Amino acid sequence: MQHSTTLTKTACFSALIIGVLSAAFAFTTKNPANAVTAGAVAAIVGLISLFIGRKNIDDMQLAAAGIFMAVVACLVGLWQIYN
């Protein structure tokens, strides 16, 4: 197991924070297309941080949680568009 650097910790924490913010935005926005866009951007950031932190399981867990929240944001936006 490799130790985390400041870059990997920052990238993975930012993926989690951006994912949570995009999910919260998806529940509060009036325009569901913006929710889907925010979720997609958060998912891309999460995948990039998952790649950066791939050598440490703790970093991967943070990035995966951010990706999960980004998927929730996309699903909420799509649900609002089609219902």
Side-chain angles (χ1 to χ4, degrees), residues 6-22:
T6 305
L7 172 66
T8 57
K9 282 287 184 200
T10 305
C12 293
F13 271 115
S14 65
L16 177 62
I17 290 169
I18 291 170
V20 168
L21 290 177
S22 70

Side-chain angles (χ1 to χ4, degrees), residues 52-82:
I52 291 171
R54 71 187 179 276
K55 295 182 180 176
N56 188 324
I57 191 69
D58 294 331
D59 294 337
M60 287 181 67
Q61 287 175 345
L62 289 171
I67 293 169
F68 175 77
M69 296 306 290
V71 169
V72 168
C74 287
L75 290 176
V76 167
L78 290 172
W79 180 265
Q80 290 174 350
I81 288 173
Y82 294 110

Side-chain angles (χ1 to χ4, degrees), residues 21-30 32 34-36 38 72-74 76-77 80:
L21 290 177
S22 70
F25 177 70
F27 282 106
T28 59
T29 187
K30 301 284 187 211
N34 290 341
V36 175
V72 168
C74 287
V76 167
Q80 290 174 350

